[in-house]
Amino acid sequence: MVRIAGINIPDNKNVLYGLKFIYGIGKSRAKYICDIININYFYKLGDLNSNQLNLIRDKISSFLIEGDLRREVMLNIKRLIDLNSYRGLRHRKHLPVRGQRTRTNAKTCRKLRSFK
């Protein structure tokens, strides 16, 4: 298991898909990191040497990831709720925020609603 940014990633994963295990890194950002470091996307993480892993760790440390990113997203949602904006009210009621219909869709949103 390779440990990057506090996350254990299995050795048998490709670099491109292994980096996606980290919250805040998707496919395009993983490709960007591999391009900057000149690593093939389809190398296995277990086959990389320690120098390449350190380069990946250094590049990832420049991004906002994991706990800091989660905290920022939650603070943004809390700010909307405190402002009593439309989006904040939708978050508070556990309804779709971005204008989706609720009569026939939004099952997940309505199912996860906590009744008090």
Side-chain angles (χ1 to χ4, degrees):
M1 300 281 275
V2 176
R3 189 164 179 86
I4 299 175
I7 302 297
N8 291 328
I9 303 171
D11 291 336
N12 60 350
K13 296 288 182 188
N14 294 336
V15 176
L16 183 66
Y17 296 106
L19 290 178
K20 287 174 55 176
F21 277 57
I22 301 169
Y23 182 80
I25 295 182
K27 191 173 181 180
S28 61
R29 188 167 281 181
K31 277 186 180 181
Y32 172 76
I33 291 169
C34 290
D35 289 339
I36 293 295
I37 301 173
N38 292 327
I39 295 175
N40 189 353
Y41 307 139
F42 302 107
Y43 282 167
K44 301 290 183 187
L45 280 170
D47 296 339
L48 297 179
N49 60 28
S50 61
N51 186 26
Q52 291 171 326
L53 288 174
N54 287 332
L55 287 172
I56 290 173
R57 286 185 187 106
D58 290 340
K59 194 62 186 168
I60 286 176
S61 66
S62 65
F63 296 116
L64 192 62
I65 55 168
E66 283 299 322
D68 296 332
L69 182 60
R70 290 179 202 266
R71 189 176 311 109
E72 183 174 324
V73 169
M74 290 306 297
L75 286 174
N76 288 341
I77 292 172
K78 186 177 181 328
R79 178 181 53 84
L80 289 172
I81 291 172
D82 291 342
L83 288 173
N84 285 330
S85 67
Y86 179 76
R87 285 173 54 203
L89 294 174
R90 302 297 281 185
H91 274 293
R92 186 182 304 150
K93 293 178 182 178
H94 301 285
L95 291 169
V97 177
R98 298 184 179 179
Q100 298 91 339
R101 67 179 300 156
T102 57
R103 182 173 180 176
T104 57
N105 294 334
K107 298 288 185 201
T108 307
C109 226
R110 289 180 8 216
K111 186 184 343 177
L112 298 177
R113 201 182 317 174
S114 61
F115 294 101
K116 294 182 181 178

